[in-house]
Amino acid sequence: MSAFHDVQGKTVLITGASSGIGEATARLLSERGAKVLIGARRGERLRTLSQTLNAAGGEVRYRSLDVTDPADFAAFVAYAQEQFGAIDVLVNNAGVMPLSPLRALKLDEWNRMIDVNVRGVLHGIAAVLPLMEAQGHGQVVNVASLGAHYVVPTGAVYCATKFAVWAISDGLRQESDKIRVTTISPGVVESELADTITDAATAEGMKEFRRIAIGPDAIARAIAFAIAQPADVDVSEVIVRPTAGSF
Ligand code: NDP
């Protein structure tokens, strides 16, 4: 059986699926026969995406989700259980990246990154871990970044959040013999991520930096690859980056 078929029939929850990597992942997994619940704050975008994918034969549900609210995340997971029964995979993809030098003192943005990128991932783990342990299987895919491996100027807080995602993923992996844990670390990818940058000089610099960006479908394929492995194989990390440049 090809890896393609091993995604088929799995129930996959994807956060941050209203654009970029999350949307591309929803499209690919749905095409490959997964049952998908997509979440993000922009419900209208989710509705349009689910309609498109269902019209093409998919089995996609959507629900608005703010990952910074643990109760909302628990309700998101409960909705998936109600719609699909078992939950096989959670893709913790939602993230924000308002880069700036520390001297700009953008405390609200630092806290926002910690809330979405770190607490959001923990809320997702908290929402699925008891049920995955009870059913004896499951997979958590956390989207980190090359920023989980390198720190760059303007990226101190963002990279810190992604170092944290890397550490949380590896800790979860070590603590469970039944749950597969995958860290996906993308390099520069086309998406709306840089739109959250409010520091003018940083935003300008990003235009050149992101010129080599690859499509979000490249990351979706890596996520699908990790999900498609047999239950006793854990792809613990994949780094996917543009061939050109170092990020
Ligand atoms: P996008 O900005 O296109 O997507 C980010 C997604 O996160 C959106 O769907 C957004 O939806 C969602 N989101 C933001 N805040 C919340 C929240 N509080 N609750 C729920 N959803 C939220 O960027 P990408 O697709 O690039 O980002 C996806 C992930 O990939 C992020 O974790 C990012 O850090 C990581 N990454 C991206 C790279 C890149 O170059 N693009 C490189 C390395 C890592 P909404 O606003 O509707 O809530």
Side-chain angles (χ1 to χ4, degrees):
M1 189 188 281
S2 75
F4 180 92
H5 292 103
D6 296 335
V7 165
Q8 197 152 26
K10 285 198 171 163
T11 302
V12 185
L13 283 59
I14 306 173
T15 71
S18 58
S19 62
I21 292 168
E23 178 183 339
T25 303
R27 286 182 187 278
L28 184 68
L29 295 181
S30 177
E31 271 169 27
R32 295 189 179 181
K35 299 174 200 168
V36 183
L37 174 63
I38 52 177
R41 292 164 305 168
R42 290 171 293 178
E44 191 52 37
R45 283 206 186 192
L46 300 176
R47 190 169 71 90
T48 306
L49 178 60
S50 67
Q51 281 173 345
T52 304
L53 297 178
N54 287 332
E59 206 174 326
V60 178
R61 306 283 188 279
Y62 73 96
R63 188 188 177 284
S64 292
L65 167 68
D66 185 339
V67 298
T68 66
D69 178 353
D72 198 30
F73 217 136
F76 181 72
V77 169
Y79 182 67
Q81 278 183 297
E82 179 196 309
Q83 293 291 312
F84 298 133
I87 292 172
D88 298 307
V89 186
L90 168 65
V91 182
N92 274 318
N93 164 74
V96 291
M97 190 190 70
L99 301 175
S100 62
L102 289 170
R103 79 176 76 84
L105 300 183
K106 291 187 179 275
L107 272 76
D108 287 349
E109 295 184 355
W110 300 348
N111 286 325
R112 187 84 198 138
M113 283 188 274
I114 293 166
D115 285 345
V116 177
N117 301 1
V118 183
R119 291 199 172 92
V121 167
L122 288 170
H123 297 157
I125 290 170
V128 297
L129 196 51
L131 72 93
M132 286 185 178
E133 286 195 325
Q135 72 190 10
H137 68 90
Q139 183 171 12
V140 176
V141 178
N142 292 327
V143 178
S145 171
L146 271 185
H149 297 268
Y150 310 104
V151 182
V152 292
T154 75
V157 179
Y158 178 74
C159 294
T161 67
K162 295 302 187 176
F163 271 58
V165 171
W166 196 99
I168 292 162
S169 303
D170 207 51
L172 178 62
R173 180 187 64 75
Q174 292 180 42
E175 285 177 11
S176 177
D177 288 338
K178 300 194 177 85
I179 297 167
R180 301 191 298 166
V181 183
T182 302
T183 305
I184 302 284
S185 291
V188 190
V189 173
E190 288 161 12
S191 75
E192 299 176 12
L193 195 66
D195 297 356
T196 55
I197 299 173
T198 61
D199 185 71
T202 305
E204 193 52 39
M206 269 291 120
K207 286 183 191 158
E208 178 60 21
F209 184 73
R210 298 184 71 79
R211 203 176 41 78
I212 54 164
I214 52 176
D217 51 302
I219 312 305
R221 288 194 296 275
I223 293 173
F225 171 79
I227 294 173
Q229 300 308 306
D232 61 345
V233 176
D234 181 17
V235 177
S236 56
E237 184 169 12
V238 184
I239 296 178
V240 183
R241 57 176 137 204
T243 306
S246 47
F247 275 88

Short mmCIF file of all heavy atoms in Angstrom, two decimals, residues 139-162:
data_model
loop_
_atom_site.label_atom_id
_atom_site.label_comp_id
_atom_site.label_asym_id
_atom_site.label_seq_id
_atom_site.Cartn_x
_atom_site.Cartn_y
_atom_site.Cartn_z
N GLN A 139 -1.67 11.05 17.18
CA GLN A 139 -0.49 11.75 16.68
C GLN A 139 -0.69 13.25 16.87
O GLN A 139 -1.75 13.79 16.53
CB GLN A 139 -0.26 11.44 15.20
CG GLN A 139 1.00 12.09 14.62
CD GLN A 139 1.34 11.60 13.22
OE1 GLN A 139 0.51 10.94 12.58
NE2 GLN A 139 2.52 11.92 12.73
N VAL A 140 0.33 13.90 17.39
CA VAL A 140 0.32 15.36 17.50
C VAL A 140 1.42 15.89 16.59
O VAL A 140 2.59 15.52 16.74
CB VAL A 140 0.55 15.82 18.96
CG1 VAL A 140 0.63 17.34 19.03
CG2 VAL A 140 -0.55 15.29 19.87
N VAL A 141 1.02 16.72 15.63
CA VAL A 141 1.98 17.35 14.72
C VAL A 141 2.06 18.83 15.11
O VAL A 141 1.06 19.53 15.05
CB VAL A 141 1.52 17.23 13.25
CG1 VAL A 141 2.51 17.93 12.32
CG2 VAL A 141 1.35 15.76 12.85
N ASN A 142 3.23 19.26 15.54
CA ASN A 142 3.40 20.66 15.92
C ASN A 142 4.22 21.38 14.86
O ASN A 142 5.33 20.94 14.52
CB ASN A 142 4.10 20.76 17.27
CG ASN A 142 3.22 20.24 18.40
OD1 ASN A 142 1.99 20.38 18.36
ND2 ASN A 142 3.83 19.66 19.41
N VAL A 143 3.69 22.48 14.34
CA VAL A 143 4.44 23.25 13.34
C VAL A 143 5.33 24.24 14.10
O VAL A 143 4.84 25.19 14.72
CB VAL A 143 3.49 23.96 12.35
CG1 VAL A 143 4.32 24.79 11.36
CG2 VAL A 143 2.64 22.93 11.61
N ALA A 144 6.62 23.97 14.08
CA ALA A 144 7.60 24.87 14.72
C ALA A 144 8.14 25.79 13.63
O ALA A 144 7.37 26.50 12.96
CB ALA A 144 8.70 24.06 15.40
N SER A 145 9.45 25.73 13.38
CA SER A 145 10.07 26.63 12.39
C SER A 145 11.57 26.34 12.36
O SER A 145 12.11 25.76 13.30
CB SER A 145 9.85 28.07 12.84
OG SER A 145 10.60 28.97 12.05
N LEU A 146 12.23 26.81 11.31
CA LEU A 146 13.70 26.85 11.39
C LEU A 146 14.10 27.73 12.57
O LEU A 146 15.18 27.58 13.13
CB LEU A 146 14.29 27.40 10.10
CG LEU A 146 14.61 26.40 9.00
CD1 LEU A 146 15.30 27.11 7.85
CD2 LEU A 146 15.49 25.26 9.51
N GLY A 147 13.21 28.63 12.94
CA GLY A 147 13.42 29.48 14.13
C GLY A 147 13.42 28.68 15.43
O GLY A 147 13.67 29.25 16.49
N ALA A 148 13.16 27.39 15.37
CA ALA A 148 13.34 26.53 16.54
C ALA A 148 14.77 26.05 16.65
O ALA A 148 15.15 25.40 17.62
CB ALA A 148 12.40 25.32 16.45
N HIS A 149 15.57 26.38 15.61
CA HIS A 149 16.97 25.93 15.57
C HIS A 149 17.95 27.10 15.55
O HIS A 149 19.10 26.93 15.95
CB HIS A 149 17.20 25.06 14.33
CG HIS A 149 16.40 23.80 14.34
ND1 HIS A 149 16.87 22.63 14.86
CD2 HIS A 149 15.13 23.54 13.94
CE1 HIS A 149 15.94 21.69 14.75
NE2 HIS A 149 14.87 22.22 14.19
N TYR A 150 17.52 28.23 15.01
CA TYR A 150 18.40 29.40 14.90
C TYR A 150 17.68 30.63 15.44
O TYR A 150 16.48 30.76 15.26
CB TYR A 150 18.74 29.73 13.44
CG TYR A 150 19.23 28.59 12.61
CD1 TYR A 150 18.39 27.98 11.69
CD2 TYR A 150 20.54 28.13 12.74
CE1 TYR A 150 18.84 26.92 10.91
CE2 TYR A 150 20.99 27.07 11.96
CZ TYR A 150 20.14 26.47 11.05
OH TYR A 150 20.59 25.43 10.29
N VAL A 151 18.45 31.53 16.03
CA VAL A 151 17.89 32.83 16.43
C VAL A 151 18.45 33.88 15.49
O VAL A 151 19.63 33.83 15.13
CB VAL A 151 18.27 33.18 17.88
CG1 VAL A 151 17.64 34.50 18.29
CG2 VAL A 151 17.85 32.06 18.82
N VAL A 152 17.60 34.79 15.06
CA VAL A 152 18.05 35.89 14.21
C VAL A 152 17.60 37.21 14.83
O VAL A 152 16.61 37.23 15.57
CB VAL A 152 17.45 35.78 12.77
CG1 VAL A 152 18.03 34.58 12.05
CG2 VAL A 152 15.94 35.72 12.81
N PRO A 153 18.32 38.31 14.55
CA PRO A 153 17.87 39.61 15.06
C PRO A 153 16.43 39.87 14.62
O PRO A 153 16.07 39.52 13.49
CB PRO A 153 18.84 40.61 14.41
CG PRO A 153 20.06 39.81 14.10
CD PRO A 153 19.57 38.43 13.77
N THR A 154 15.64 40.45 15.44
CA THR A 154 14.18 40.70 15.34
C THR A 154 13.36 39.45 15.65
O THR A 154 12.14 39.53 15.80
CB THR A 154 13.69 41.26 13.97
OG1 THR A 154 13.69 40.21 12.99
CG2 THR A 154 14.51 42.44 13.50
N GLY A 155 14.04 38.30 15.76
CA GLY A 155 13.30 37.05 15.97
C GLY A 155 13.46 36.48 17.37
O GLY A 155 13.08 35.33 17.60
N ALA A 156 13.97 37.26 18.32
CA ALA A 156 14.26 36.69 19.64
C ALA A 156 13.02 36.03 20.27
O ALA A 156 13.08 34.88 20.70
CB ALA A 156 14.82 37.77 20.57
N VAL A 157 11.91 36.74 20.30
CA VAL A 157 10.73 36.19 20.98
C VAL A 157 10.07 35.12 20.10
O VAL A 157 9.70 34.04 20.60
CB VAL A 157 9.73 37.31 21.35
CG1 VAL A 157 8.49 36.71 22.02
CG2 VAL A 157 10.40 38.33 22.25
N TYR A 158 9.96 35.39 18.81
CA TYR A 158 9.36 34.38 17.92
C TYR A 158 10.17 33.08 17.99
O TYR A 158 9.59 31.99 18.15
CB TYR A 158 9.33 34.91 16.47
CG TYR A 158 8.78 33.90 15.47
CD1 TYR A 158 7.42 33.62 15.42
CD2 TYR A 158 9.63 33.22 14.60
CE1 TYR A 158 6.92 32.70 14.51
CE2 TYR A 158 9.14 32.30 13.70
CZ TYR A 158 7.79 32.04 13.65
OH TYR A 158 7.29 31.11 12.75
N CYS A 159 11.49 33.19 17.88
CA CYS A 159 12.33 31.98 17.93
C CYS A 159 12.20 31.31 19.30
O CYS A 159 12.17 30.08 19.38
CB CYS A 159 13.78 32.31 17.63
SG CYS A 159 14.04 32.88 15.92
N ALA A 160 12.09 32.10 20.36
CA ALA A 160 11.90 31.52 21.70
C ALA A 160 10.62 30.68 21.73
O ALA A 160 10.60 29.59 22.31
CB ALA A 160 11.85 32.62 22.76
N THR A 161 9.56 31.20 21.11
CA THR A 161 8.31 30.42 21.12
C THR A 161 8.49 29.12 20.33
O THR A 161 7.94 28.09 20.69
CB THR A 161 7.11 31.20 20.55
OG1 THR A 161 7.29 31.46 19.14
CG2 THR A 161 6.87 32.50 21.30
N LYS A 162 9.27 29.17 19.26
CA LYS A 162 9.44 27.97 18.44
C LYS A 162 10.43 27.00 19.09
O LYS A 162 10.29 25.79 18.96
CB LYS A 162 9.86 28.36 17.02
CG LYS A 162 8.77 29.15 16.27
CD LYS A 162 7.46 28.36 16.19
CE LYS A 162 6.42 29.05 15.32
NZ LYS A 162 5.19 28.25 15.17
#
